[in-house]
């Protein structure tokens, strides 16, 4: 059975929710009522699923008892947790790769305990002090993975393969989030990385917005879609307004609702279905009321983009696809 607009699992990114309170308490150490409050906001915005972005809760750092408490809290609220997105914990970070690798393994185990389908990792590293000064951090260049460094590439392959095998052992998909200036920063490099890892449960999270928002020349979004969707098994979805004046070397972007930005998701999703994609979707947005914009993005997907009936032609993906049922049918 192929997913349709009614039952395609769509998650809300937890990006709008801070990981630390005004008093300096991390959300991992907060009372369960603080978790319930955030998850209730997500539910009231119209979602039945949340993507546990670890800029909010870090499931891999919860004790067994607190992890069980978190799972019960989500169940009590009535929110599914089919995905965890662990960000800025690169396993080839020059100083912290061992700690990041250990954290990634803990995150996989925690995701399995929560009943997730997929865990998303990336190679992007911490935002730099200069990036933190900007209104939009992507307007200043951050970390760059070393080009042509065979040892660094080999380390990325072997360590991500290690995580992929762990994920497979506990019944999870592993998805690699595309991000600028890393080995997941171009379509060709991202596909090659998945191919070199060589595990069916390891695919791409083609977060196209991370690439088209840069204030410099970028790959055409159509080429990104055509090359990466055959290897996609999860999808962070957001959009940006983009203006280019190449003659003056001028590039400007800002966050946009999915239906309004540069990427035509109507066309992108046709390519996705032709490539056999059946992964969980995660709607994101930076700035303003990010949760409400994410909710509007979900409505846009269900009303206009996702197939209304199950009898559509579905291609064959190059990677394994999951099968996560939402907590209840979403209303279109």
């Amino acid at each position: 059975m192929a997913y349709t607009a009614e039952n395609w699992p769509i998650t809300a990114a937890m990006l709008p929710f801070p990981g630390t309170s005004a008093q300096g308490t991390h959300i991992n150490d907060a009372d369960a009522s603080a978790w319930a409050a955030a998850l209730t906001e997500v539910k009231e915005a119209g979602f039945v699923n949340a993507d546990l972005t670890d800029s909010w809760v870090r499931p891999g750092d919860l004790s067994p008892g607190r992890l069980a408490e978190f799972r019960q809290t989500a169940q009590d609220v009535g929110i599914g947790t089919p995905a965890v997105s662990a960000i800025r914990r690169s396993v080839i970070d020059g100083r912290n790769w061992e700690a990041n690798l250990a954290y990634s393994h803990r995150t996989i185990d925690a995701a399995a305990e929560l009943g997730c389908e997929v865990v998303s990792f990336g190679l992007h590293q911490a935002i730099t002090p200069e990036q933190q000064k900007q209104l939009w951090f992507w307007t200043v260049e951050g970390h760059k993975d070393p080009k042509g460094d065979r040892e660094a590439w080999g380390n990325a392959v072997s360590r991500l393969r290690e995580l992929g095998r762990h994920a497979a052992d506990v019944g999870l998909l592993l998805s690699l989030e595309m991000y600028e200036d890393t080995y997941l920063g171009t379509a060709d490099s991202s596909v090659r990385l998945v191919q070199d890892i060589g595990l069916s449960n390891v695919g791409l999270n083609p977060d196209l917005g991370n690439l088209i928002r840069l204030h410099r020349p970028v790959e055409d979004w159509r080429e990104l879609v055509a090359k990466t969707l055959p290897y996609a098994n999860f999808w962070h979805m957001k959009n940006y307004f983009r203006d280019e004046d190449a003659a003056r070397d001028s590039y400007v972007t800002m966050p946009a609702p999915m239906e309004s930005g540069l990427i035509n998701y109507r066309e992108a999703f046709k390519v996705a279905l032709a490539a056999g994609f059946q992964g969980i979707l995660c709607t994101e947005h930076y700035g303003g009321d990010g949760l409400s914009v994410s909710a509007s993005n979900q409505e846009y997907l269900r009303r206009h983009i996702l197939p209304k009936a199950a009898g559509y032609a579905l291609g064959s993906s190059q990677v394994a696809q999951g099968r996560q049922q939402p907590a209840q049918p979403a209303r279109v």
Side-chain angles (χ1 to χ4, degrees):
M1 292 291 293
Y3 284 133
T4 65
E6 183 180 25
N7 67 6
W8 205 300
I10 301 177
T11 63
M14 298 302 289
L15 288 170
F17 297 92
T20 305
S21 71
Q23 293 73 38
T25 301
H26 194 274
I27 193 68
N28 272 37
D29 301 320
D31 187 82
S33 61
W35 302 337
L39 294 173
T40 297
E41 283 194 57
V42 170
K43 183 178 181 180
E44 291 176 348
F47 288 94
V48 296
N49 290 298
D51 174 11
L52 301 179
T53 320
D54 73 347
S55 56
W56 182 57
V57 163
R58 297 196 298 259
D61 285 343
L62 290 172
S63 68
R66 293 235 76 193
L67 187 64
E69 187 178 12
F70 182 87
R71 181 172 185 171
Q72 186 61 54
T73 299
Q75 290 175 350
D76 291 345
V77 171
I79 283 287
T81 56
V84 175
S85 291
I87 60 176
R88 303 194 182 280
R89 293 297 191 100
S90 172
V91 295
I92 58 170
D93 183 310
R95 292 182 295 179
N96 301 309
W97 74 266
E98 290 178 296
N100 290 347
L101 183 61
Y103 171 79
S104 299
H105 279 294
R106 296 196 306 273
T107 299
I108 289 170
D109 285 332
E113 287 293 321
L114 291 171
C116 295
E117 174 184 306
V118 60
V119 178
S120 176
F121 295 113
L123 294 175
H124 41 312
Q125 299 188 21
I127 294 176
T128 67
E130 187 61 29
Q131 287 179 309
Q132 293 174 7
K133 298 176 184 177
Q134 313 305 315
L135 174 61
W136 306 120
F137 65 85
W138 56 83
T139 60
V140 173
E141 292 185 356
H143 166 80
K144 296 183 179 182
D145 285 342
K147 291 183 178 180
D149 188 323
R150 293 186 178 182
E151 181 179 2
W153 178 272
N155 287 336
V157 171
S158 62
R159 293 167 191 169
L160 291 171
R161 184 186 292 136
E162 176 184 325
L163 294 176
R165 286 173 173 159
H166 182 183
D169 287 343
V170 294
L172 293 174
L173 300 178
L174 191 149
S175 197
L176 304 178
E177 180 181 354
M178 296 179 66
Y179 195 91
E180 77 267 15
D181 295 327
T182 71
Y183 294 145
L184 292 159
T186 68
D188 288 340
S189 180
S190 298
V191 168
R192 181 188 161 203
L193 188 60
V194 169
Q195 291 173 336
D196 283 2
I197 292 168
L199 298 175
S200 64
N201 71 312
V202 177
L204 291 176
N205 170 0
D207 194 333
L208 307 175
N210 286 347
L211 305 182
I212 65 104
R213 70 189 178 191
L214 302 178
H215 284 204
R216 61 189 197 234
V218 297
E219 289 184 82
D220 189 291
W221 68 265
R222 299 168 189 82
E223 294 183 8
L224 289 168
V225 165
K227 292 179 178 179
T228 63
L229 263 297
Y231 294 87
N233 58 5
F234 180 49
W235 200 348
H236 283 177
M237 309 182 89
K238 55 181 177 283
N239 215 342
Y240 291 82
F241 296 114
R242 181 176 177 87
D243 183 56
E244 297 186 3
D245 186 346
R248 294 177 172 82
D249 195 30
S250 174
Y251 306 90
V252 177
T253 69
M254 61 191 71
M258 280 179 60
E259 64 184 310
S260 305
L262 177 69
I263 302 164
N264 182 343
Y265 277 100
R266 183 184 295 273
E267 294 305 315
F269 219 87
K270 291 175 183 177
V271 176
L273 295 178
F277 178 75
Q278 291 282 281
I280 294 171
L281 308 176
C282 172
T283 58
E284 298 182 318
H285 186 79
Y286 281 100
D289 185 353
L291 179 59
S292 291
V293 178
S294 294
S296 297
N297 288 342
Q298 176 183 216
E299 182 179 2
Y300 161 71
L301 286 167
R302 295 202 191 278
R303 286 187 179 275
H304 300 297
I305 304 304
L306 301 176
K308 298 299 187 294
Y312 55 87
L314 184 66
S316 297
S317 177
Q318 298 298 307
V319 295
Q321 301 293 311
R323 191 68 196 175
Q324 180 80 33
Q325 294 294 344
Q328 61 189 34
R331 295 181 180 179
V332 178

